[in-house]
Amino acid sequence: RDEAELEASLAEKTVLLKEIHHRVKNNLQLIASILNLQMRQVRDPAARRVLQSVQDRVIGLATIHRSLYQSERLSELRADCLLEEISRQLLALGAAPGTGISVQTRFEPLMMSPDKLVPLSLLLSEGVTNALKYIGPPESGEAPWLEVVLKDEGDDAVLSITNSMAGPSATAADGAVSDSTSLGSDLIEAFAMQLDGVLEHGEVQTEKGLVWQLSLRFARETSEELAAAASAEEPQPEAGMTPGQSAG
C-alpha cells in the first residue's frame, strides 16, 4: 500500500510539473507574439535587431519548456534532439534557402539532466545567432557556410559552432557591435560557467580558410549523476515517518 501511494504521489507530482512547463511555454509564446507585433511597428533597423534578438531568446526558452513537458522523464532528456530543434528554428530564419548559406549540423545522442541542458540550449541559441550575424563568404569565393556539431567524446562532450568569414576581424555588414562586447558574448560565458565547461572562441585558420569557431567542452553527466537527479524528483516521506511506515 505504501509503495502504491508513493508511486501515485510521484505520478501526480510529475503531471503537475509538466503542467507548469506547459503553461510557462504558452506564456513565453505569447510574449514572443507580442514582440513580433512590436517589431512590425518599429522602423529603426537597430531597434528591430534588438527586438529580434530578444524574441529569439524567448522562443528558445519556450522550446526548452515544451521539451520538458513532452518528455516521459523529467530527470533526463535527449540533448541532441532539443539542440537540433532549437538550431532548426534559428536556421529557418537566419539561413533560409534564399540567403545562400550552406548549413551542416550533426548531433550525437547525449542524455543530460534539465539543470545542465537548459544552459547548454541557451548557449547554443546565442552561439548560432551570433554566427549568423557575422558569417561571411570564405576567401575561396564559395558560399558562406555554418556548421553546428555536438560530439560525445566519452567522459566529455563538445559543442562547436563554426562559420566562414570574409577576412580577419570581420564584422557584421550592418555595423553591429563586435561579439567581444555584445550581450550575447556575456551570456555565452555565463552559460559556460554554469556547465563548468571550457569555452574557446575566436578566429581559427583551417583547411577551409579563416573561420570563427566557438567550442565548449564540458563533462558528461555519469549514470550515477543522472540517477541522483531522478531520485531528487521523488516525493520525500512525511516528517517522522520511515519509508515503510504509513501515515495512518
Side-chain angles (χ1 to χ4, degrees):
R1 176 187 172 187
D2 296 333
E3 184 176 350
E5 289 178 351
L6 188 62
E7 290 179 355
S9 177
L10 177 59
E12 180 182 8
K13 181 180 179 183
T14 300
V15 170
L16 291 173
L17 283 172
K18 289 189 175 185
E19 179 62 23
I20 290 173
H21 288 304
H22 192 185
R23 294 188 180 188
V24 170
K25 185 269 298 183
N26 289 343
N27 289 336
L28 288 169
Q29 287 185 330
L30 176 60
I31 293 171
S33 297
I34 293 173
L35 287 168
N36 189 53
L37 291 173
Q38 185 65 60
M39 280 191 290
R40 295 180 183 179
Q41 306 295 322
V42 174
R43 296 289 178 263
D44 180 61
R48 287 178 62 88
R49 283 197 301 269
V50 172
L51 288 172
Q52 181 65 61
S53 66
V54 174
Q55 185 188 49
D56 289 342
R57 291 175 179 126
V58 171
I59 291 175
L61 285 169
T63 302
I64 292 170
H65 283 281
R66 184 177 67 187
S67 295
L68 286 169
Y69 85 75
Q70 289 180 340
S71 174
E72 293 184 3
R73 300 184 63 184
L74 294 175
S75 58
E76 56 181 329
L77 300 169
R78 283 281 300 272
D80 51 307
C81 294
L82 178 57
L83 298 183
E84 184 174 13
E85 182 176 2
I86 292 175
S87 296
R88 185 168 58 248
Q89 290 178 349
L90 293 169
L91 296 172
L93 295 175
T99 61
I101 298 175
S102 173
V103 177
Q104 291 186 345
T105 60
R106 187 174 80 254
F107 300 94
E108 297 181 2
L110 180 67
M111 300 299 297
M112 294 181 67
S113 67
D115 285 347
K116 296 293 185 181
L117 182 52
V118 168
L120 181 65
S121 302
L122 295 174
L123 185 148
L124 170 80
S125 181
E126 294 296 332
V128 170
T129 299
N130 192 68
L132 290 171
K133 184 188 298 182
Y134 296 109
I135 195 170
E139 298 171 345
S140 62
E142 299 176 355
W145 56 269
L146 171 66
E147 183 181 69
V148 185
V149 177
L150 175 68
K151 292 193 297 183
D152 181 354
E153 298 190 349
D155 293 337
D156 292 339
V158 178
L159 174 67
S160 63
I161 303 168
T162 311
N163 63 272
S164 59
M165 298 178 63
S169 303
T171 56
D174 56 13
V177 295
S178 69
D179 174 61
S180 61
T181 58
S182 69
L183 173 61
S185 179
D186 292 339
L187 290 172
I188 286 172
E189 298 211 2
F191 297 140
M193 289 180 62
Q194 291 184 43
L195 290 160
D196 294 323
V198 178
L199 178 67
E200 297 180 349
H201 54 90
E203 298 175 4
V204 180
Q205 188 66 47
T206 70
E207 59 183 13
K208 296 182 179 181
L210 189 65
V211 303
W212 178 273
Q213 185 173 73
L214 182 151
S215 174
L216 176 71
R217 177 177 293 273
F218 58 97
R220 273 197 57 185
E221 292 173 281
T222 64
S223 56
E224 290 78 11
E225 289 171 330
L226 290 172
S231 64
E233 298 290 336
E234 297 180 2
Q236 299 299 314
E238 297 180 16
M241 292 175 53
T242 62
Q245 184 178 0
S246 172

